[in-house]
Amino acid sequence: MSAAAGRADGPPLVVRDLTCRYADPPAQALAGVSLDAAPGELVAIMGASGAGKSTLLRCINALVPSLAPAACDGEIRLGAQALLGAEVGRLGGRVAMVFQDFEAQLFSTNVRLEVAFGPGQLGVAPDEIAARVERTLALVDLADFGGRDPSTLSGGQKQRLAIASILAMEPEVLLLDEPATDLDPIGRRELYAALEGVRGGRLVLLAVEHDVDPVVRADRLILMQEGRVVATGPAAALVQDVELFLACGVRPHDLAVLGRRLGCVLPLDVEGAVAALRARGLPAAAAACPPVEAPPAPPASGGAATPAAGAAVAGRARRASPILEVRGLTRVYEGGTRALDDVGLALGAGEFVALIGQNGSGKTTLAKHLNGLLQAQTGEVRLAGADLRTLPLERIAREVGYVFQNPDHQLFAATVADEVAFGPRNFGLAGDALAARVDETLAAVGLTAERNEDPFLLRKGERQRLAVATVLAMAPRVLILDEPTTGLDYPQVRAMLELLARLRAAGTTIVVITHSPWVVVEYAERALLMRGGRLVFDGALDDLLADEPLLRSAAFEAPPAARVARALGISARTVDALARALGAGD
Amino acid sequence: MALSLYLDHPSWLHRRHPVAKVLALGWLFVAAFLLDHPAPLGLLLVLVLAATASARALSVLHQMRWLLLPVFVFTTIIWTVFYPATADGPVDRWVAFRYGLGMALRLETFLATGFVFLATTTIEEFAFALSRLGVPYRAGFVLTLAFRLVPVFLDAALTVRDAQRCRGLDFTTGNVATRIARYAPVIVPVFIGGLRRADQMAFALEVRGFSAGRPRTSLPRPGMDGSDLLLLGVGGAITAVVVALRVAGIGRLVAQ
């Protein structure tokens, strides 16, 4: 039930011919956007980075232009109240917003106080605040956490707390700006379940999303490109338009792509799609055959021809002479938390490994042991046979590169070229050799044209590639990347993953920590699954995808295509492989 | 990283009204400031320790021993050594030692009282008390935000340091100036990240009605009760006795 359910319908949200131009740096963010959203509706907004989605939300709740200098024109109304150009404070909480960064929107030392903050600012009577706190915490399933310090909650719980703290203000419009981006699969599921709970009533819900899966449940979908609305319609129908999605820089739904390859329209839920395919006589007897896994990212040279073949080659290389070997690795933090528990593995040359598991399962702790940032308490980590504890960190860093999740954590230089040169210069490279290394690296990540730019003025996708370049410039044999696709749009994610595929083809071992199932199934051939500090699976990805109880226990959900394939008894994990197995042409 | 000293358990001190606790804290600070003789200062500290123990908050003093012990030892030694000579003759080392001990006990009383206050009072309660005592709401809120942000920035700084170590930045060799210069690749990302976060927080605060301009309210709070008044009375009485002793010139090591 909605926080405001049971009341009369509220006013509609109307946006007309909205334009917005930022002053510094100059950029036309919106170029004539119009939309209507009725009370009770969930409207999803999608588009590539720079499409104007966030600016649209910020104009609606008056953060732009009141707090960010911009020239805006047009009209935004909530019922009779004009929103464009209003002071945020004067809106009295009628329009509220949940941001992507859950850390930046929680201020209190206690969950209950956090929820009470907004109503308190609006002067709501104390007894009514208490009632709202209880009601909204129950709504987002946090009723038992009232006394907790928000900093001790998981990411999903923090984001639900942020939603509760907004709902307690009883807004008429709730804006969500990519609220699930930083969450693991469990956190996402919890978040969407909470949103389902608040849908309806007099609340207008507008959600910006990168991931198409949750969007199919929206009442309406708006696709944006370069500051304009290019399409709007019922979400379930619009999601079927694969070309439109690709043109807008948004990853299309697996089952929409599959339907298009097969020349039909498939339901967007796995069960429905399986039933529809069976009704069409698929898979034909010949289709239910052994796996036909097409290579999504063909190696440029020197690599294995397909991920499956790559796994076999890498497996042999791993057994013969592993680059990194972990034995009996256990780490216990102060307070007794067992972050790693008897972990053992080996990494060979040219592998593409996905390190997956819930937040807090030990992925990052394990990765930091692989490059010496953390030293083994119990057990050992060996690099080409040498115990990491006996090697200086600089030596390890040259062999095992580590790209942190947030690129802004490592960028500081005045130019892109200086940023790339920093690492190799620390290792003694100078003169022509250093210049050549910088040139090579910039070319590899596609940033040659930006070499003299200020790193902080690059777009997020470019900063992410630059962060990879800063580590790549040290020519490591193993490259570990912690959530390298967070906050990137689909073309940027593809560019990043293609870069990694090329590096792997050239012999670099890639270890990617990720929550994104489609990234795992399309690029990795080996999976390491962590749960509660234990490595519960280490092997071929196909074997992991076949073990549903294990996947469920680790809160990992295969992409829709892989689940449909499994339900049909076809061993394919990508849309492409499944379409081929079902007889579709290229 | 946990920087909060707050102990989340019920005790008589946790239950006291925040205004009463802030005023009692002020009384005790004034009393400690007016005393210089180790005997009454020691007695005052014992009272604070007894209150701490009864609120099951001794663990906070144990947690802060890294500060409390060195302050005690060094203050005693420094004042004993540097106690000034007078025109009447050479320094009486026994007086100097007692004075040093008194100064150390005074500082320990300040620190211990403050730590126990933070162990039994949430930052929001502290801000609420300050606003009731006339401090502008925004000033109190900045205090709560600082407690929230300091661990976040420290965490970011450690992550950035690790990221730069992975690029071969060595913080362990070279002279002091070289080492300080090497922190530029840490300071720049932390600073810029801080600015970005400040922007995001400002947006989030505005969305939560921070500038709504309406009279602010909060969850229902019980008013002061008899126990709160007793706490205030005891704190006030101690201070009154100390002031009386001081006016009478009793129990002072150094005449004014």
Side-chain angles (χ1 to χ4, degrees):
Chain A
M1 193 180 84
S2 160
R7 294 206 224 158
D9 278 357
L13 175 71
V14 177
V15 179
R16 288 286 174 272
D17 302 320
L18 181 65
T19 62
C20 181
R21 184 175 179 77
Y22 287 114
D24 186 24
Q28 187 74 40
L30 297 174
V33 171
S34 296
L35 67 88
D36 296 270
E41 264 197 311
L42 167 57
V43 180
I45 304 172
M46 303 186 86
S49 294
K53 311 177 297 292
S54 293
T55 300
L56 173 61
L57 295 195
R58 287 172 184 204
C59 284
I60 291 173
N61 76 345
L63 288 171
V64 175
S66 68
L67 290 186
C72 300
D73 202 5
E75 186 185 19
I76 307 176
R77 276 188 295 107
L78 179 61
Q81 185 171 13
L83 302 182
L84 184 61
E87 279 183 48
V88 191
R90 301 296 168 200
L91 297 183
R94 293 184 73 194
V95 183
M97 185 155 161
V98 174
F99 299 84
Q100 177 185 329
D101 181 356
F102 39 75
E103 298 288 355
Q105 50 195 331
L106 303 177
F107 314 110
S108 305
T109 58
N110 166 300
V111 165
R112 204 170 276 117
L113 291 173
E114 190 69 59
V115 179
F117 182 87
Q121 301 297 313
L122 299 177
V124 174
D127 287 342
E128 171 62 13
I129 295 181
R132 289 190 192 183
V133 167
E134 300 311 319
R135 200 162 58 225
T136 51
L137 283 179
L139 203 64
V140 298
D141 203 18
L142 287 177
D144 296 333
F145 294 80
R148 283 271 291 272
D149 180 343
S151 67
T152 63
L153 301 179
S154 71
Q157 288 167 336
K158 283 179 184 172
Q159 199 58 293
R160 281 186 285 141
L161 174 58
I163 291 175
S165 63
I166 290 294
L167 288 175
M169 297 166 72
E170 298 200 341
E172 290 155 77
V173 179
L174 175 55
L175 310 168
L176 301 121
D177 194 359
E178 298 183 33
T181 299
D182 289 338
L183 303 182
D184 63 17
I186 283 230
R188 275 179 215 160
R189 207 172 303 152
E190 291 170 348
L191 177 74
Y192 295 130
L195 285 178
E196 282 300 317
V198 304
R199 264 177 91 165
R202 68 199 295 258
L203 189 64
V204 177
L205 267 169
L206 251 66
V208 167
E209 254 298 343
H210 265 317
D211 186 3
V212 69
D213 237 2
V215 166
V216 298
R217 290 190 288 271
D219 297 301
R220 215 140 45 79
L221 172 62
I222 293 174
L223 281 167
M224 291 185 69
Q225 193 175 29
E226 295 175 355
R228 290 187 168 80
V229 172
V230 293
T232 178
L238 204 55
V239 165
Q240 297 285 358
D241 194 337
V242 174
E243 278 74 23
L244 183 63
F245 265 63
L246 290 172
C248 290
V250 181
R251 183 173 185 270
H253 197 285
D254 268 9
L255 300 181
V257 178
L258 181 64
R260 192 180 169 284
R261 294 280 300 272
L262 295 171
C264 62
V265 173
L266 291 176
L268 297 171
D269 63 293
V270 171
E271 293 73 20
V274 169
L277 288 168
R278 286 202 170 119
R280 290 170 65 91
L282 292 170
C289 57
V292 186
E293 198 64 63
S301 64
T306 66
V313 171
R316 282 196 296 274
R318 187 165 73 233
R319 282 187 294 275
S321 56
I323 299 175
L324 273 169
E325 235 182 324
V326 178
R327 287 187 203 148
L329 187 62
T330 296
R331 184 165 199 94
V332 181
Y333 283 130
E334 205 175 330
T337 306
R338 198 167 273 263
L340 293 178
D341 190 359
D342 195 20
V343 172
L345 61 97
L347 293 172
E351 289 196 90
F352 200 126
V353 181
L355 179 51
I356 55 181
Q358 278 180 255
N359 287 341
S361 60
K363 304 185 298 294
T364 299
T365 305
L366 171 60
K368 286 187 173 177
H369 278 89
L370 299 181
N371 77 334
L373 276 175
L374 292 175
Q375 291 201 337
Q377 290 172 334
T378 309
E380 59 179 8
V381 181
R382 291 186 168 272
L383 174 62
D387 190 329
L388 281 193
R389 284 169 295 203
T390 66
L391 301 174
L393 188 62
E394 307 84 66
R395 160 83 206 291
I396 303 166
R398 297 172 75 160
E399 302 280 335
V400 185
Y402 191 103
V403 181
F404 283 68
Q405 181 176 355
N406 184 348
D408 298 336
H409 277 152
Q410 55 197 80
L411 305 183
F412 73 98
T415 69
V416 166
D418 283 349
E419 197 70 66
V420 174
F422 180 74
R425 189 184 286 127
N426 283 330
F427 295 132
L429 211 61
D432 291 345
L434 179 61
R437 180 72 66 84
V438 170
D439 289 346
E440 275 167 30
T441 311
L442 287 175
V445 300
L447 287 175
T448 303
E450 287 80 12
R451 61 177 303 129
N452 294 319
E453 304 249 339
D454 182 336
F456 291 102
L457 297 182
L458 298 179
R459 293 190 309 160
K460 174 81 188 281
E462 292 169 332
R463 296 207 303 279
Q464 192 68 271
R465 274 187 286 150
L466 177 57
V468 174
T470 62
V471 176
L472 202 57
M474 297 181 289
R477 296 163 72 193
V478 179
L479 188 58
I480 302 168
L481 302 103
D482 193 349
E483 291 281 352
T485 59
T486 299
L488 304 187
D489 64 22
Y490 182 54
Q492 291 169 340
V493 172
R494 273 283 178 212
M496 169 63 66
L497 293 169
E498 293 301 323
L499 166 65
L500 298 182
R502 286 197 299 277
L503 292 171
R504 179 224 150 199
T508 307
T509 300
I510 307 289
V511 179
V512 177
I513 299 174
T514 183
H515 289 312
S516 181
W518 76 266
V519 169
V520 174
V521 301
E522 291 203 21
Y523 286 88
E525 69 247 4
R526 178 181 170 199
L528 303 174
L529 178 63
M530 299 289 297
R531 189 180 62 206
R534 293 188 71 87
L535 181 61
V536 293
F537 180 88
D538 176 3
L541 188 58
D542 288 325
D543 294 339
L544 175 64
L545 295 176
D547 193 342
E548 277 197 31
L550 183 60
L551 284 176
R552 261 200 307 276
S553 73
F556 187 86
E557 192 171 58
R563 282 182 281 147
V564 167
R566 180 157 173 73
L568 293 175
I570 298 172
S571 181
R573 60 181 196 243
T574 64
V575 176
D576 193 49
L578 178 57
R580 284 163 183 260
L582 292 172
D586 293 324
Chain B
M1 181 177 297
L3 283 187
S4 170
L5 296 180
Y6 185 72
L7 298 173
D8 192 9
H9 63 242
S11 80
W12 70 272
L13 206 46
H14 283 78
R15 283 192 296 274
R16 296 288 59 78
H17 194 279
V19 172
K21 279 194 272 189
V22 168
L23 289 175
L25 180 75
W27 287 133
L28 286 174
F29 275 16
V30 169
F33 185 74
L34 292 176
L35 293 167
D36 69 355
H37 196 291
L41 276 165
L43 188 62
L44 197 58
L45 185 55
V46 167
L47 275 175
V48 171
L49 293 177
T52 308
S54 66
R56 291 181 290 132
L58 281 175
S59 63
V60 80
L61 301 183
H62 184 256
Q63 185 184 338
M64 298 307 291
R65 65 191 183 283
W66 60 272
L67 180 65
L68 292 167
L69 292 177
V71 163
F72 184 81
V73 171
F74 286 113
T75 306
T76 307
I77 292 171
I78 286 170
W79 277 106
T80 304
V81 172
F82 293 104
Y83 188 77
T86 64
D88 303 334
V91 173
D92 180 337
R93 287 293 158 206
W94 173 235
V95 172
F97 170 72
R98 284 191 300 155
Y99 186 77
L101 190 61
M103 291 301 99
L105 287 168
R106 177 192 281 174
L107 283 178
E108 294 295 299
T109 306
F110 285 158
L111 290 172
T113 312
F115 291 148
V116 172
F117 175 80
L118 292 174
T120 57
T121 314
T122 65
I123 296 302
E124 285 87 355
E125 287 175 330
F126 188 18
F128 167 76
L130 291 178
S131 72
R132 281 299 169 93
L133 293 169
V135 176
Y137 173 82
R138 282 172 186 253
F141 184 74
V142 166
L143 184 77
T144 66
L145 213 51
F147 271 83
R148 168 107 179 88
L149 283 181
V150 166
V152 173
F153 281 123
L154 280 177
D155 200 39
L158 293 175
T159 304
V160 171
R161 193 196 59 178
D162 278 351
Q164 305 302 28
R165 284 173 70 207
C166 288
R167 297 167 72 191
L169 191 60
D170 178 10
F171 296 102
T172 58
T173 59
N175 60 36
V176 174
T178 312
R179 289 190 200 189
I180 290 173
R182 284 189 191 140
Y183 268 89
V186 175
I187 293 165
V188 173
V190 171
F191 183 70
I192 290 185
L195 289 179
R196 284 202 171 125
R197 180 171 286 268
D199 252 1
Q200 291 167 351
M201 283 198 132
F203 280 7
L205 271 175
E206 288 304 318
V207 168
R208 302 271 289 277
F210 193 67
S211 301
R214 301 181 188 178
R216 291 182 170 90
T217 51
S218 64
L219 281 168
R221 289 176 191 275
M224 281 207 210
D225 61 14
S227 302
D228 296 312
L229 296 175
L230 184 63
L231 178 68
L232 275 180
V234 170
I238 290 171
T239 310
V241 169
V242 168
V243 169
L245 289 174
R246 185 181 171 99
V247 169
I250 300 170
R252 284 195 60 82
L253 275 178
V254 182
Q256 297 300 302

